[in-house]
Amino acid sequence: MYSIPPAAQAWQPSAASPTVTYPAGLERDQVAAWLQAETDIAPSEVIAISPSAVISIASAERTADPPRYRVTLHAEALSRGVAFENGLVSWQMTLEADCAGGRVKSGETKGHARRNLQGEARPLRSADIGWRPPPPRTSLESAWRAVCDPGFVRPLFAAAPVIETQSPSRTSPDRREASRSAPRRASAPTDRGIFVQVVAASTADEATKVLRTLVRNPSGGLVGLPTRVLPAAVAGRTVYRGLFGGFEAREQASRLCVTIKTMGRDCFVREIR
């Protein structure tokens, strides 16, 4: 899904730092745990994983209407062989994504010999001159979908990115149909776990509207994150909580809440058992 730019392959190999670590495997939990321990990438920011690298969106800025975005990708090597081949363990690339046109234009790519884009930045590839469709099953396609496709599922989330409401008088809805339509690696949404709450509304529609407004805000990079609308009895009345999640750790939820607050929306981390 992510290939090393040709310019990098031409470099003389250099020994990787002995302090550079790699995940024990490429299973979802293994990669997520390694990211949190060794990198600046939050699992919620990841858009693609391949045997050679994990790719995340560091930032996304809307630049035009119809929607175009300026995106910064941050990649970390998952393969020791990749690091020894070109001496680099992290990369950063910029690109422009044209949502209406279904095309991208890659910017400059730079690599670093240390994790988290630390150390001297080495040019790997110059910017593209023109636009092109993102090649299927590549990081470019994942980046385009992450900012342009509301149905995009980020790979390190257990739940599909759907807004789902639930009646106070019913238990959790039948999930069989949702499990058929979700990717195989994604499990059905759950009402329990760690969430970021952004609203407690008097109606489910109002809570849904707040969530959708945040997801569509280009400055937040929230497209693809799972959302939930759940009822709760508070002081003798029913309120509808608008939630992002669920997360496996409070640290992930806290980082997302910081991002949401920069968008002008208050939030807090809620654990539902």
Side-chain angles (χ1 to χ4, degrees):
M1 180 174 291
Y2 185 90
S3 59
I4 305 303
Q9 297 175 354
W11 291 355
Q12 293 297 320
S14 61
S17 167
T19 61
V20 173
T21 64
Y22 299 87
L26 296 182
E27 294 297 324
R28 178 181 176 277
D29 292 345
Q30 293 171 317
V31 174
W34 173 79
L35 285 172
Q36 294 176 81
E38 302 294 337
T39 78
D40 293 336
I41 298 175
S44 60
E45 298 167 345
V46 173
I47 60 166
I49 301 173
S50 77
S52 61
V54 57
I55 301 94
S56 69
I57 286 187
S59 65
E61 176 188 2
R62 185 164 179 161
T63 59
D65 197 10
R68 283 188 185 178
Y69 293 88
R70 181 180 294 112
V71 181
T72 301
L73 300 181
H74 172 186
E76 295 284 339
L78 294 180
S79 165
R80 192 177 301 274
V82 170
F84 276 96
E85 180 182 355
N86 56 49
L88 306 176
V89 294
S90 61
W91 303 266
Q92 186 175 70
M93 181 177 73
T94 59
L95 66 87
E96 293 182 67
D98 177 5
C99 295
R103 55 184 186 163
V104 297
K105 182 165 64 174
S106 298
E108 185 179 19
T109 303
K110 294 181 179 181
H112 301 258
R114 296 167 57 189
R115 290 290 185 199
N116 301 313
L117 308 175
Q118 298 298 306
E120 179 185 359
R122 302 178 180 178
L124 298 181
R125 184 170 56 194
S126 59
D128 288 347
I129 297 176
W131 294 87
R132 59 177 171 136
R137 297 179 297 279
T138 65
S139 58
L140 293 180
E141 182 188 48
S142 294
W144 182 92
R145 291 189 61 206
V147 295
C148 295
D149 179 4
F152 178 71
V153 179
R154 301 193 181 204
L156 292 185
F157 269 101
V162 295
I163 294 176
E164 183 176 337
T165 60
Q166 178 179 324
S167 168
S169 61
R170 296 172 56 190
T171 57
S172 58
D174 182 2
R175 311 212 195 286
R176 288 176 295 180
E177 190 63 33
S179 65
R180 291 193 198 106
S181 59
R184 288 184 179 273
R185 64 188 171 201
S187 60
T190 176
D191 299 347
R192 299 180 180 181
I194 301 171
F195 299 87
V196 174
Q197 181 170 327
V198 296
V199 65
S202 58
T203 67
D205 286 345
E206 182 182 348
T208 298
K209 182 178 180 180
V210 171
L211 289 169
R212 286 178 174 164
T213 298
L214 288 170
V215 168
R216 291 168 180 169
N217 188 322
S219 66
L222 304 183
V223 172
L225 301 188
T227 57
R228 302 282 282 144
V229 174
L230 297 178
V234 178
R237 65 189 184 93
T238 299
V239 299
Y240 294 84
R241 294 168 174 166
L243 309 163
F244 285 95
F247 296 89
E248 296 182 347
R250 292 187 68 90
E251 292 78 7
Q252 298 176 31
S254 295
R255 287 184 64 169
L256 178 61
C257 193
V258 170
T259 297
I260 292 173
K261 287 181 178 180
T262 65
M263 300 163 65
R265 185 80 197 185
D266 197 15
C267 59
F268 64 91
V269 176
R270 175 182 291 278
E271 185 167 359
I272 301 176
R273 298 182 180 278

